[in-house]
Amino acid sequence: FDLQFSTVGEAAGIPLLVLVMSLRARLRSVRLSQSLIVRQVAPMLNSVRLALPGRAHVTEDMLFQLNMPALPVKGQRFFSTRSCAAVDWTQSDMYTATRKPVDEATTLPGSVYHDNKFYELERTRIWHSSWVAVAELCDLVNPGDVVPAMVGDAPVLLANDRGTLRAFHNVCSHRGARLVSEKCSKRRTILCPYHRWGYALDGRLIGTPSFDYDEEGKTVPERLRQHFKTHHVKDFDKKSMGLKPIRVDSALGLAFVNLNGEAPPLSEWLGDLLPSLGGYEAATVSGELHATHRKTYHVKANWKLLVENYLEYYHLPAVHPALCNVSTVDEHRRNQGTGMYMGFATDPLTQGGTAIDPGRLPPFPLLHDSQRQTAYHMALFPNTFFSLYPDAFFRVVLTPTSATTTIEHTTLLTHAGALSAPNSEQILDEIMAFWNVVNTEDIEICEQVQLGTAAPVYDGGRFSFRFEEPVHRFQNMVVDKMLDFESTRYRIPKGDDNTGLEQLAA
């Protein structure tokens, strides 16, 4: 039995509620009567009574007065996963209720948004094994551009090496210092701030000041050179001490990295999404995509809650009344094909007197007629989501910082034709202001959900099958990654039989 005490409730002055939940959690696979648990709980409490001065003797009648709910039957999730210290998040029986079809399924338990063990497991199971969005390509368009980022617990850097996109661990090979802490440009080398070891943008170690000298003998003054020769140093080879490379690719104006190098190719990871969004993808490939506004938010919520909130429009009337003026709930439809993404569309867009009304700026040049009246809302597993409107799109890239906090990096992007339109600066300011309001509303409600899911009584809820299938899809992607079975680690889920993507690409 796992004894845990709380001030949530008391019987005879002894905290009991969390203790009882913990006992029931540990006995989740066995159906026991309430009286049997009570007969075992009372003696255990009295065995620790001496540690609680002045407390009365606990009787079985006192425990029955707690009016404990009936124990769950086998296969049903137990009362509170947070109350059990021995939870194994890699086992499939933890997720039985979430694995059911969406109209029968229960969401993941509240523990997954708070538990540090779950968060630590995510680092390797999700962040190291996925294609993770780390930077906007427009920040790496020029040779010499260098951008740092975090992927789980791993600092990384990206560099434009004379037109080639490269990614490395942001760690000096000498003493492990972080090399780059902010975006920079026109760099020919990357210098360590600690001992000035220097690296080329292709990762080669090219300078180790006062440690050895180069072929031309320029690093160390001639009168001192004899003291710094390294021919006698064993196993020191610059060629083997360069930056550690990371697998990198790009799509939809984003740079992605895969830390463990084992994920399927990015094109396969994204499935049928890129062909269906060809008009937008063409703008990113041709360098026509421009970032006009950025804003960073520090959110007191788990990263998964932010993704899940984006994936459903059930909350629009309650949380985003202004957004409903341009896209009502009834104008949304699922738009899901094969790939590690979740999507839905708003069709048709309406003139609601908002900053994001269609027609205020010229549309992306290669969109067909139906796309010019449609918005596409896409989330790429695990950490980015964006709303593609005909003339601009608003993107969010997430960086988790703990089990309960996340940084949102948001960017408003558009194309060159929109930038040259009359009053474009004012219009784009208004669009960004609109998205700031919407995003702030989302953050506020997500922080409330973060607080609510911490309550022991919350162990998951039923999906709204009409509105929350994308959330169900996302949560099952999370489960695929967390399980010990390698067969699920890189599974790419299929889409709907009729996705609507064929009209997208028409």
Side-chain angles (χ1 to χ4, degrees):
F1 295 111
D2 183 21
L3 293 176
Q4 296 186 34
F5 292 93
S6 170
T7 58
V8 174
E10 292 190 345
I14 296 179
L16 293 174
L17 185 57
V18 173
L19 167 64
V20 174
M21 289 192 298
S22 181
L23 287 167
R24 295 170 64 234
R26 297 295 290 269
L27 296 169
R28 65 185 184 276
S29 62
V30 181
R31 185 160 189 171
L32 297 176
S33 68
Q34 185 183 34
S35 61
L36 177 57
I37 289 184
V38 166
R39 285 197 301 272
Q40 298 200 34
V41 168
M44 291 174 65
L45 285 176
N46 286 312
S47 71
V48 297
R49 185 168 55 89
L50 294 178
L52 300 167
R55 304 302 190 184
H57 186 82
V58 179
T59 67
E60 294 181 10
D61 288 340
M62 291 177 181
L63 285 174
F64 273 118
Q65 291 172 7
L66 288 175
N67 193 25
M68 294 187 300
L71 281 168
V73 298
K74 186 176 181 180
Q76 181 180 356
R77 191 136 57 206
F78 49 85
F79 190 73
S80 175
T81 51
R82 274 189 300 284
S83 64
C84 178
V87 167
D88 185 352
W89 291 113
T90 68
Q91 299 305 304
S92 59
D93 63 350
M94 298 295 299
Y95 309 104
T96 302
T98 305
R99 289 304 218 183
K100 295 179 180 180
V102 64
D103 55 350
E104 304 174 24
T106 300
T107 65
L108 290 172
S111 334
V112 305
Y113 309 110
H114 302 267
D115 184 58
N116 285 325
K117 291 183 179 179
F118 195 91
Y119 176 75
E120 292 298 323
L121 193 60
E122 286 177 338
R123 288 185 173 185
T124 54
R125 295 294 176 90
I126 293 179
W127 301 105
H128 288 201
S129 70
S130 301
W131 280 106
V132 179
V134 288
E136 296 286 348
L137 277 185
C138 57
D139 290 333
L140 291 157
V141 68
N142 297 312
D145 286 341
V146 179
V147 175
M150 290 294 297
V151 180
D153 59 345
V156 304
L157 67 86
L158 295 97
N160 182 327
D161 177 29
R162 292 175 291 184
T164 299
L165 180 63
R166 302 188 188 276
F168 304 96
H169 290 275
N170 191 7
V171 177
C172 182
S173 299
H174 177 214
R175 295 278 298 280
R178 185 176 64 170
L179 294 168
V180 181
S181 57
E182 59 185 17
K183 181 183 180 301
C184 48
S185 58
K186 298 181 180 179
R187 299 294 293 269
R188 297 177 60 184
T189 59
I190 297 170
L191 292 179
C192 176
Y194 197 4
H195 300 102
R196 309 296 287 176
W197 280 32
Y199 302 87
L201 297 187
D202 61 5
R204 290 177 297 118
L205 175 61
I206 57 176
T208 53
S210 299
F211 193 92
D212 69 343
Y213 65 93
D214 58 24
E215 290 78 3
E216 290 79 25
K218 297 178 180 178
T219 305
V220 179
E222 185 173 358
R223 61 186 176 83
L224 300 174
R225 197 169 300 159
Q226 185 64 33
H227 299 286
F228 294 98
K229 289 185 177 181
T230 58
H231 62 276
H232 64 288
V233 179
K234 294 182 179 179
D235 301 323
F236 179 77
D237 181 7
K238 281 184 180 179
K239 294 179 181 178
S240 66
M241 298 191 70
L243 299 179
K244 304 299 185 290
I246 299 172
R247 192 178 178 202
V248 63
D249 206 341
S250 62
L252 292 171
L254 282 169
F256 297 82
V257 297
N258 170 224
L259 290 185
N260 70 2
E262 297 177 1
L266 182 60
S267 58
E268 184 179 339
W269 183 269
L270 297 177
D272 53 19
L273 185 61
L274 292 185
S276 68
L277 296 178
Y280 295 98
E281 174 68 357
T284 69
V285 172
S286 63
E288 287 290 299
L289 198 61
H290 300 273
T292 64
H293 296 73
R294 302 174 194 264
K295 187 174 176 63
T296 299
Y297 302 81
H298 294 266
V299 187
K300 296 177 182 178
N302 181 275
W303 69 277
K304 296 185 293 297
L305 287 179
L306 299 171
V307 177
E308 292 165 8
N309 173 78
Y310 179 81
L311 289 176
E312 51 93 352
Y313 41 93
Y314 193 19
H315 68 280
L316 260 61
V319 180
H320 304 305
L323 190 57
C324 289
N325 291 330
V326 70
S327 56
T328 66
V329 171
D330 291 338
E331 291 164 345
H332 288 73
R333 58 179 170 81
R334 278 179 45 73
N335 201 82
Q336 187 61 64
T338 298
M340 293 294 287
Y341 74 93
M342 292 63 60
F344 58 95
T346 305
D347 179 23
L349 294 172
T350 55
Q351 297 288 340
T354 72
I356 61 172
D357 282 2
R360 300 189 73 206
L361 291 172
F364 282 87
L366 297 181
L367 302 184
H368 56 73
D369 290 343
S370 64
Q371 288 179 318
R372 297 183 181 196
Q373 292 298 319
T374 305
Y376 303 100
H377 311 282
M378 301 293 175
L380 311 183
F381 188 88
N383 73 317
T384 184
F385 47 86
F386 44 91
S387 293
L388 295 165
Y389 279 71
D391 50 13
F393 59 95
F394 180 76
R395 176 141 59 204
V396 179
V397 176
L398 304 177
T399 301
T401 51
S402 75
T404 58
T405 57
T406 308
I407 297 175
E408 284 192 352
H409 310 274
T410 70
T411 309
L412 181 67
L413 301 114
T414 191
H415 59 101
L419 290 176
S420 60
N423 300 319
S424 62
E425 184 175 351
Q426 177 182 341
I427 292 172
L428 289 166
D429 286 345
E430 293 169 355
I431 292 175
M432 184 61 182
F434 180 91
W435 284 121
N436 177 58
V437 171
V438 171
N439 200 50
T440 300
E441 292 168 342
D442 279 328
I443 288 172
E444 289 174 351
I445 196 63
C446 286
E447 291 181 339
Q448 291 302 309
V449 177
Q450 183 71 34
L451 293 173
T453 54
V457 296
Y458 183 77
D459 206 38
R462 287 296 295 269
F463 286 102
S464 172
F465 63 89
R466 179 185 174 192
F467 301 107
E468 294 177 331
E469 196 285 335
V471 181
H472 180 257
R473 182 181 178 91
F474 169 76
Q475 290 196 353
N476 276 277
M477 289 180 183
V478 171
V479 174
D480 278 349
K481 289 289 187 182
M482 300 300 280
L483 295 178
D484 266 341
F485 309 113
E486 289 295 330
S487 61
T488 69
R489 193 72 50 79
Y490 299 105
R491 176 166 59 188
I492 296 178
K494 301 294 184 181
D496 297 342
D497 292 336
N498 181 16
T499 66
L501 288 171
E502 62 277 6
Q503 286 83 14
L504 243 175

